[in-house]
Amino acid sequence: MAKICLCLTAKTLKRNLEILDKYRKYADMTELRVDCLEPDERLLIRRFPEQAGMPVILTIRRDVDGGQFVGGEGVRINLMARGLAFAETDRRRNFAFLDIEEDLDVPSLEEAARTFGTRIIRSYHNSQGTDPNLLTKIRSMRHSENEIVKISVRANSTKDVLHLLKAGKECADQEKILISMGHYGTYSRILAEQFGSTISYTSAFDEEDAPPAAPGQVDIQELTNLYHFRSITKNTKLYGITGNPLKASSSPQFFNTIFELEGTNAVYVPFPADSIVDFMEIANHLSLEGVSVTIPYKESVIPFLNSMTDEVRKIGACNTLILTPQGWKGANTDARGFSGSLLAFLSRENFKRQRVTVIGAGGAARAVIYELHRLGAKVLILNRTAGKAASLAAPYKFAWGGLDERGIARIEKYRDIIIQTTPVGMGSSGNPSDFADPLAFYNFSGREEVMDLVYNPKMTPLLKRASGAGCNVLNGYDMLIRQAQHQYVYFTGKEFPDHLVSRIRYGEI
Ligand code: ATR
């Protein structure tokens, strides 16, 4: 099973030991990043393994490799030698590993390490990108059999992660550490076992004076408590969510908590992806069993489906992939999640005799419109691009308009319920149009029931204004949970555990 290594990047040894003590229970080993220590402290590293009381990797990372060491190579080699000096017969008092970059050739140092049982991690770093020749590197970097090859390369795209994953698979027989650094590669650290890595490097994000040692690292507590890293084996069923940009999502928390409570050997991981084509190849390589699909891939994923539910066919959007023996099956749980949530909120069975305005005509709106039609509502669709509202409305014979004064004036006849389906109001992309109110021209009478599919923030500007005018308002959180419950059923083939429903409602999960 892959081991968890806590990287220690504080400026003093004392502080590193404090941090190590605080997170000891999460770590199997630790890496002393000597390059992050103050110069005087670097001279005192020899006793650190004994003080640490667990296997320690000695690493002095150069600035060119993403570290902080700017001195000459002579000084660096000297420091490494200092770390290995006065080796003791009790190996727990020596450094367990020495990280040596592939281009550093100091036979005497390697000889000393080998003699006293310090294993060499032969590392290669590229903080700019992912090299095309990784396979050759992995195969040829070792100077002796007992070394562990470490490849740590920046993933600028999903294709880069795929490249590393494939290279790792080709060398399944070899002990190694493979890391795709950065946002796109974060899951290479969670799924270390699947990537064929023996160690996952983590940091303690709560400790501000010991910043994460590399981009894309996962917090050590999150790795253990959210992803249950120690339980991930080759037999663990893998699920996840893909999208771009994949913002902080509640889905990993939801699924991983339920898997744990149910004793299911499964993990649910975020897969940020800049290409659905490359992601689907990764999904196949990792043998994912199920995937939640979010913006912007709900439509572009459809060509990858071998079969689909009626809802996917009619809505034209898919948010759930399930692996079947024949290939991927697509489902749409947004639709039932939406109607279940809104009907419960309104204490209704259906939308008959309800006149409803829907803002937006994207993937989310498509599921909403499908359900409103199925359950008997009369609908007006308003969208920034009026043409898209028109084409969405046509098959249902619904009314449509632009998101302008004229369109908004038409709401008067469709205002029992108003549903906002665009990402406007989400406020997470840094775009000034976020936090905006897409219905700014419209004055609420106070009698409308208003739903915003956005759930973060809990109250969008639109909901705040509607609530201020006396309307009942509902955000998208309950819909999210309901659609995830449907996804759970698709993913596992089991009923959603009844005893967990009330805990979800009370926000315990
Ligand atoms: P989703 O799957 O979340 O629905 P989508 O398919 O990309 O995402 O659709 C986004 C919807 O939000 C569209 O209706 C889009 O309007 P356009 O069709 O005119 O692009 C709408 N939208 C996005 N940003 C918007 C903004 N700043 N103001 C108004 N509408 C916006």
Side-chain angles (χ1 to χ4, degrees):
M1 203 191 301
K3 301 247 184 297
I4 300 181
C5 176
L6 175 63
C7 301
L8 295 173
T9 59
K11 289 192 166 75
T12 66
L13 293 164
K14 181 166 172 284
R15 182 69 188 117
N16 277 328
L17 285 171
E18 280 169 18
I19 294 171
L20 182 58
D21 272 339
K22 193 164 160 191
Y23 301 96
R24 180 175 294 278
K25 67 173 179 186
Y26 301 110
D28 300 303
M29 56 169 63
T30 185
E31 179 186 50
L32 180 63
R33 283 284 300 272
V34 178
D35 52 299
C36 301
L37 291 171
E38 282 166 359
D40 286 355
E41 293 275 316
R42 292 174 182 169
L43 305 175
L44 307 173
I45 57 177
R46 178 60 194 91
R47 285 194 55 226
F48 193 81
E50 185 185 344
Q51 294 163 332
M54 68 166 68
V56 185
I57 304 172
L58 168 56
T59 299
I60 313 178
R61 188 74 66 229
R62 300 174 291 210
D63 59 343
V64 286
D65 292 325
Q68 296 187 20
F69 193 85
V70 288
E73 281 299 77
V75 178
R76 205 166 69 99
I77 293 163
N78 233 313
L79 280 175
M80 287 186 196
R82 211 175 244 272
L84 300 184
F86 309 111
E88 303 215 19
T89 41
D90 181 353
R91 287 186 177 180
R92 287 171 302 181
R93 297 181 172 199
N94 303 333
F95 281 96
F97 302 90
L98 173 66
D99 186 304
I100 303 186
E101 295 80 1
E102 60 146 8
D103 60 351
L104 185 69
D105 192 18
V106 190
S108 57
L109 200 62
E110 292 172 22
E111 193 51 43
R114 275 194 282 274
T115 307
F116 298 110
T118 298
R119 283 189 80 184
I120 292 173
I121 296 178
R122 186 77 56 180
S123 64
Y124 171 73
H125 299 262
N126 184 343
S127 51
Q128 303 302 315
T130 296
D131 309 65
N133 59 341
L134 287 181
L135 184 55
T136 322
K137 268 200 185 304
I138 299 170
R139 288 244 189 261
S140 63
M141 270 167 59
R142 285 184 303 184
H143 291 194
S144 71
E145 280 276 307
N146 194 36
E147 294 181 5
I148 305 173
V149 165
K150 177 184 179 190
I151 302 275
S152 186
V153 287
R154 173 106 195 177
N156 293 315
S157 64
T158 302
K159 200 176 269 318
D160 284 347
V161 187
L162 179 61
H163 181 49
L164 185 77
L165 179 63
K166 279 180 172 169
K169 269 194 154 179
E170 295 275 321
C171 320
D173 52 325
Q174 194 181 318
E175 197 175 352
K176 61 197 170 306
I177 302 158
L178 302 180
I179 302 163
S180 260
M181 283 189 288
H183 173 65
Y184 287 120
T186 297
Y187 52 91
S188 68
R189 301 173 183 275
I190 303 168
L191 301 178
E193 190 73 29
Q194 283 68 19
F195 275 72
S197 291
T198 50
I199 300 175
S200 182
Y201 290 72
T202 69
S203 292
F205 284 25
D206 287 349
E207 308 305 316
E208 283 172 15
D209 58 341
Q217 274 196 349
V218 182
D219 171 52
I220 192 162
Q221 294 181 82
E222 193 172 301
L223 195 64
T224 314
N225 297 337
L226 175 60
Y227 297 110
H228 308 122
F229 182 87
R230 288 184 201 273
S231 313
I232 302 177
T233 66
K234 295 245 179 315
N235 298 325
T236 302
K237 290 190 172 179
L238 306 182
Y239 300 91
I241 178 164
T242 192
N244 191 31
L246 197 54
K247 291 167 224 128
S249 160
S250 317
S251 300
Q253 180 72 46
F254 176 86
F255 280 104
N256 288 324
T257 305
I258 290 166
F259 288 149
E260 189 193 18
L261 292 172
E262 288 294 283
T264 310
N265 182 10
V267 65
Y268 184 101
V269 176
F271 293 97
D274 67 340
S275 148
I276 188 70
V277 179
D278 294 331
F279 168 72
M280 291 309 289
E281 206 176 332
I282 287 193
N284 292 334
H285 272 286
L286 288 174
S287 305
L288 300 191
E289 304 262 339
V291 182
S292 312
V293 181
T294 186
I295 300 170
Y297 300 130
K298 289 183 183 179
E299 290 149 59
S300 51
V301 77
I302 290 178
F304 294 91
L305 303 179
N306 173 265
S307 62
M308 62 184 91
T309 60
D310 233 27
E311 285 168 332
V312 172
R313 192 170 297 110
K314 290 181 181 151
I315 295 169
C318 164
N319 77 328
T320 309
L321 304 180
I322 313 113
L323 188 66
T324 72
Q326 292 75 37
W328 291 107
K329 176 179 175 177
N332 190 313
T333 63
D334 283 336
R336 302 285 164 140
F338 156 72
S339 54
S341 177
L342 186 54
L343 289 173
F345 176 71
L346 300 173
S347 305
R348 296 184 64 98
E349 298 281 303
N350 56 48
F351 296 114
K352 282 187 186 142
R353 289 179 300 283
Q354 294 297 292
R355 298 185 69 90
V356 183
T357 296
V358 173
I359 313 298
R366 295 247 279 264
V368 166
I369 300 288
Y370 170 84
E371 278 300 87
L372 288 171
H373 176 261
R374 190 176 70 82
L375 294 163
K378 293 266 179 296
V379 178
L380 165 69
I381 306 170
L382 296 182
N383 193 44
R384 180 176 60 180
T385 313
K388 268 171 78 181
S391 26
L392 179 55
Y396 301 103
K397 300 195 170 50
F398 283 162
W400 58 273
L403 206 50
D404 47 28
E405 270 181 85
R406 243 179 73 204
I408 286 171
R410 301 189 63 190
I411 297 179
E412 200 133 317
K413 294 205 174 107
Y414 293 87
R415 62 173 176 185
D416 294 323
I417 307 170
I418 296 181
I419 303 161
Q420 200 298 113
T421 72
T422 78
V424 181
M426 204 128 81
S428 50
S429 74
N431 190 327
S433 79
D434 292 352
F435 292 120
D437 176 348
L439 267 193
F441 294 117
Y442 177 73
N443 286 320
F444 289 99
S445 71
R447 287 188 298 277
E448 301 90 338
E449 309 279 353
V450 183
M451 179 179 192
D452 196 326
L453 264 45
V454 173
Y455 58 89
N456 189 10
K458 285 183 185 154
M459 287 289 271
T460 57
L462 174 87
L463 288 190
K464 272 191 197 146
R465 203 162 57 80
S467 171
C471 303
N472 293 322
V473 300
L474 172 68
N475 71 21
Y477 189 72
D478 180 59
M479 168 180 165
L480 173 83
I481 296 300
R482 284 172 189 266
Q483 71 77 24
Q485 284 175 258
H486 292 301
Q487 256 174 2
Y488 178 90
V489 176
Y490 274 122
F491 285 167
T492 62
K494 291 193 274 185
E495 282 304 305
F496 191 81
D498 273 345
H499 65 281
L500 296 181
V501 173
S502 60
R503 292 183 61 181
I504 290 169
R505 293 275 167 271
Y506 290 113
E508 287 176 36
I509 296 174

